[in-house]
Structure formats: C-alpha cells, structure tokens
Amino acid sequence: MNYCIAFRTIVTKEIFRFIRIWPQTLLPPAITTALYFLIFGKLIGDRIGTISGTSYMDYIVPGIILMSVISHSYANVVSSFYSSKFQHNIEELLVAPIPNWIILSGYISGGIVRGLLVGVVVALISLLFTDIKVNNIPITLAIAVLTATVFALAGFINAILAESFDDISIIPNFVLTPLSYLGGVFYSVDMLPGVWQTVSMGNPILYMVNAFRYGLLGVTDIDIQLSFIITGGFIITLTSFSLYLLYKGIGIKN
Amino acid sequence: MNALSLRNLKKTYNNGFEALKGIDLDVEAGDFFALLGPNGAGKSTAIGIISSLVNASSGSVSIFGHDLKRDQAKAKSCLGLVPQEVNFNQFDTVKNILLNQAGYYGTPRKLALQRTEYCLKQMNLWDRRDTVSRRLSGGMKRRVMIARALVHAPKLLILDEPTAGVDIEIRRSMWNMMQQVNQQGTTIILTTHYLEEAESLCRNIAIINHGRIVENSDMASLLTRLHVQHFVLDLAQPIAAAPVIEGCQIELITHKTLAVAVPKEHSLNKLFSQLNAQNIDITSLKNKTNRLEQLFMDLIDSNPTGVKR
Ligand SMILES: Nc1ncnc2c1ncn2[C@@H]1O[C@H](COP(=O)(O)OP(=O)(O)OP(=O)(O)O)[C@@H](O)[C@H]1O
Ligand SMILES: [Mg+2]
C-alpha cells in the first residue's frame, strides 16, 4: 500500500480548501493584524517607549505573528475536520485503507501550512510598519512549525469531540484567545505583579511566544530550552490522544 | 474463495438497541448477492461494520480471506462501498471526488485520471465532471457514489439501496452497469427494496429481519418453494360472479378482471381449458405480485417478533 499518495491527497485537498475560501481564511488576519500594528504599535506604542531595549512596535510583532499562526492552524483543522464529519465525507477516509496516523498527519499538515502561510502574510504586513532583522532563523522557523503543530492537533481533538458547530467555537473563543492575550503578546511578564508572573508560567502560549520573540529579536523572558521541551511535550501528548480517539472511533464511528 | 465471510456478527448501539443478533454469512467470489430485509432489519448496520464505519460489538469479518481486524489494509482495499446516504463533499466537483478517492487508495495520479474518466463515462457523468456536486440531482448523486466506489477497481462492491429514488431509465442502466461489473469479475452485494430487481439480478440471497438471517439460499431454489402463484386475468366479456374451479381460489376484482391463486401442481393449461368450458375468454394475464415478494412477505410475517425459530 502506498501511503505517500494517500497522505499527499489529504494535504492537497486541505490546502486547496483554504485557498479556495481565501476571503474567509487569508484576508481577515491581514486586516486585523494591520489594525493591531497601527493602533497598538504606532499610535499607542510611540507613547510606551521600549521594552527590554526594543521599541514597543517591534516588541509586539513576534507575538502577533505567532498569535495568528496559533489561531489559524487551529481553525483550519477544527473547521475542516468537523465539516467533513458533518457532511459524512470523513467516511471516505474511514472506508479506505489509510492508517489513522496518515489521516492525522494529513490534516495536521494542512493546518500547519495554513498557520505558517498566515504567519508569513502577517510578517509581511509588519514590514509596512517596522523593519525587523531575524536574530536566529532556525529557532524562529522551528518554534513556528512546532507551535502550529500543537494547535493543529488541538483543533483536531476539538473537531473529533465536537457534536455541533457551537462546540467548535467554544475553545477558540474561551480558551485560545484569552491564553494568547495573556501569553505575553503585548507585554513582558516582568511587568506583571509577582503572583501574576507565577500564574502566567502555567500558560503554554507564553513559552512559545517568548521563544519566537527570541528567534526574531533576541529578547525573551524565558529559557528557550524550556520552551522547546514544553512545546514538544504538548505535541507528544496531543498526538497520542488524537491517535487514541481515532483508534477507538470516538466521535466518528458508531 | 469467499469474497465475504461474517461470523457471529453482533452489534448493540450505545442506546442499548441490539441491531444485529449474531449473523453468519458467506458470499462467494464472483457472486451477485442480494441482502434483503424490511426497514430497520439491520442491513446498513451490517454493511457499516463490513466497511469499518461501525464498530462491531463482537464477531468477525473477512474480505477475500483478509481479516478486517488483523489485516485491515488488505481487507479494505478489496472493498468498494456505495452507502445508503449521500456522503461526499458537496462543495467538491464530481471529478475531484473521484480523484481524491483514487488517491486515498494509493492510485498514482496518471492512473487515477484514467480511472476517473472511465468510471464517470460508465455512469454517464463525464459531461458533469466539473459540476459542483451539490448542484446534481438526487439520481446523479447516487451515480457519483457508484462511480466513486468503482474508481479503485474493488474486488467486492457493496451497494446499499443504490436504486432508491432513481427513475426507471437510469435504474435500467444501473442494472446493466452492475451486471457488466459483475461479469468482469467483481463480486456484488446489493440491498434493495425492489424485489423484482433482486430477483432478476441476483443469484444468491439472504433475508435479514430483526438482526437475524431468516433465509439464506440461492434464488432458484428459493423460488421453487413457492407453492401458490397469483395471477390477474383480464376478460373479454364482463361476468357477474367469480367462476368456481376445483383447487384454485378465484376472486372477482371488477367485472372484467379476476384474481386467481393457482397451486403449483395445477397446470395453467388446465386452468385455461376449465375457464374456457365456462365460456370465459381471457385477453391477458399478469403476475399479481412479484414472486420473490410473496416469499419475502411469508418469511417476514412468519417471524414478526424476531424471536429465533
Ligand atoms: N446510530 C444508531 N443508534 C441507535 N440505533 C441505531 C443506529 N443506527 C441504526 N439504529 C437502529 O438499528 C436498526 C437497524 O438499522 P439499519 O440502518 O441497519 O437498518 P436497515 O436494514 O438498513 O434499514 P433500511 O432498509 O431502512 O435502510 C434500526 O432499528 C435502527 O433504528
Ligand atoms: Mg439501510
């Protein structure tokens, strides 16, 4: 059995899906983040001064890029997988001789591609407002890919467990968005009062944002190694859980 | 070689409903097999288990000798499924649906394009290849599902009510197509509620009721079990009362039509000469119900509660 072809078919299908509906998938992040850069970076940022020696505008760029990567890798998988559950075309994959790990990696790859593509769009937009030289390319790329993987996996699990369209908007609205905003996108954790600094350390997004900021600017609140360990740990845990759900057929088989 | 073997297949749904109560079934390679039963009998449940869409509670499935649990990839690649409900991506074009399906089965691109064209032409859908599937009529959607099931050239094709809601012309062309596919060596399992369809196409048959197989034999010997045949006779001249003929039951439906129940040992020649003797002229004759339909009703009626006989 040639699983390469099956894998490629799923990934291509996923990429064509979000490109076909680009006004819903690629355009909105461009507009929202342009507004972030304009309002927070330019208008307000000019009055804030610098954090850790960089201008506020530059300081928020990595966080805003990564926030877009997170929400779009998640959104791609959750909406694509849930709608194929809803329309029952997921059955095509279940009947076909495709192992679960190929199904999973196909959907996850689709989510990673969308997350990274949106990340690139946002990065290009940031160049209209500021001029950032990348401090460390391998770390920047690695943490972007790993972060996209974590949230694509989370989106997959959400889609498998979801029983209605409401269920696929709860996590993004009530978990992802708050965690992203509290993940040090707009501020350094050093600026928080002591107890909130400790609480923030429980937020995984904080580690990813800081590692990404280190990659781009060379500035971080957190040990980079720890960031990679935590991100890797999430990937392993979420992958195992996804494969377990697929194996049991939870949410997709009777 | 069996194309399909089911052993003691049971399914209890999460709500506690026992849809299959232990099914054993063998379908030989090359067969054209009818799986019949009333609504809710468990046909789609069994097909769901065979095609990995439903988890069995217990029992085993083997497709061309490959156990569905231990030898999953091999078992699955032998199977093509036409499900009862439409289940393709309604936003995709007809051609893409088939190309993706071929990809899922590991078909290289070039071959996938050839197979797609071949199957769409076979199903009279080639001129619709670029149509978004949502815009197709119901009958066309069914044909898309058949074309999709054939794109990887499966050895066993299972069709769950493929002709439901399809006009007579297309149904005829589907029959031709199924016979063609079967003659080319593909084993076919068909479920349908049109019993004349099963009677004319299928060589072997199983009837399932309340989650149990209540009949499993070849069509010919099943039909010879029919003791009484029912005919409707049209008469040249109106008559006032039904004639009386020893051994046959005759009812007057209108003044010019009779319903006759004829036991097998009573020959039709004899019946006609007896009617002739009573000055009754017959202009035409037809079967009152399809023969299989009578048997089917007998089997279902004799076991209405699903209690094991
Ligand atoms: N997901 C489910 N949960 C609970 N019960 C179910 C489920 N799916 C089917 N059933 C029940 O199982 C029984 C068998 O259903 P099935 O769909 O297999 O019947 P069928 O023989 O295909 O009928 P039809 O000819 O109407 O398609 C029915 O009583 C049905 O209500
Ligand atoms: Mg059914």
Side-chain angles (χ1 to χ4, degrees), chain A residues 254, chain B residues 13 15 17 19 38-45 84 161 193:
Chain A
N254 276 312
Chain B
Y13 280 107
N15 62 3
F17 183 80
N39 287 135
K43 305 179 296 293
S44 296
T45 302
Q84 187 170 1
E161 298 188 29
H193 291 291

Side-chain angles (χ1 to χ4, degrees), chain A residues 6-62:
Chain A
F7 174 76
R8 222 170 39 221
T9 307
I10 300 176
V11 178
T12 320
K13 162 179 84 84
E14 284 301 283
I15 293 176
F16 275 121
R17 189 195 75 94
F18 74 72
I19 289 180
R20 190 174 53 211
I21 50 172
W22 66 272
Q24 291 169 52
T25 53
L26 299 176
L27 193 59
I31 295 172
T32 332
T33 53
L35 290 171
Y36 278 146
F37 290 135
L38 182 68
I39 295 169
F40 294 113
K42 273 275 175 273
L43 303 181
I44 301 178
D46 281 352
R47 304 189 176 193
I48 293 180
T50 63
I51 301 182
S52 316
T54 53
S55 75
Y56 188 65
M57 177 72 213
D58 288 3
Y59 191 82
I60 64 172
V61 166

Side-chain angles (χ1 to χ4, degrees), chain A residues 1-3 5-6 9-10 13 20 87-98 248-249 252-254, chain B residues 11 13 51-55 73 76-77 81 87-92 100-101 103-108 148:
Chain A
M1 216 33 235
N2 192 341
Y3 297 137
I5 294 178
T9 307
I10 300 176
K13 162 179 84 84
R20 190 174 53 211
Q87 288 197 67
H88 296 283
N89 56 315
I90 187 65
E91 293 176 2
E92 292 176 343
L93 294 171
L94 301 179
V95 175
I98 312 178
K248 284 280 177 189
I252 48 176
K253 288 188 194 181
N254 276 312
Chain B
K11 174 64 186 180
Y13 280 107
S51 50
S52 313
L53 294 173
V54 174
N55 286 327
K76 280 175 156 188
S77 37
L81 173 70
N87 75 342
F88 46 68
N89 182 350
Q90 307 252 354
F91 298 99
D92 230 342
N100 280 341
Q101 176 85 354
Y104 299 153
Y105 285 80
T107 316
R148 180 185 63 179

Side-chain angles (χ1 to χ4, degrees), chain B residues 156-177:
Chain B
L156 169 63
L157 178 66
I158 302 185
L159 304 109
D160 198 348
E161 298 188 29
T163 52
V166 167
D167 73 39
I168 184 66
E169 194 185 334
I170 296 194
R171 191 177 311 162
R172 289 238 162 90
S173 77
M174 278 187 183
W175 293 344
N176 281 336
M177 182 282 307

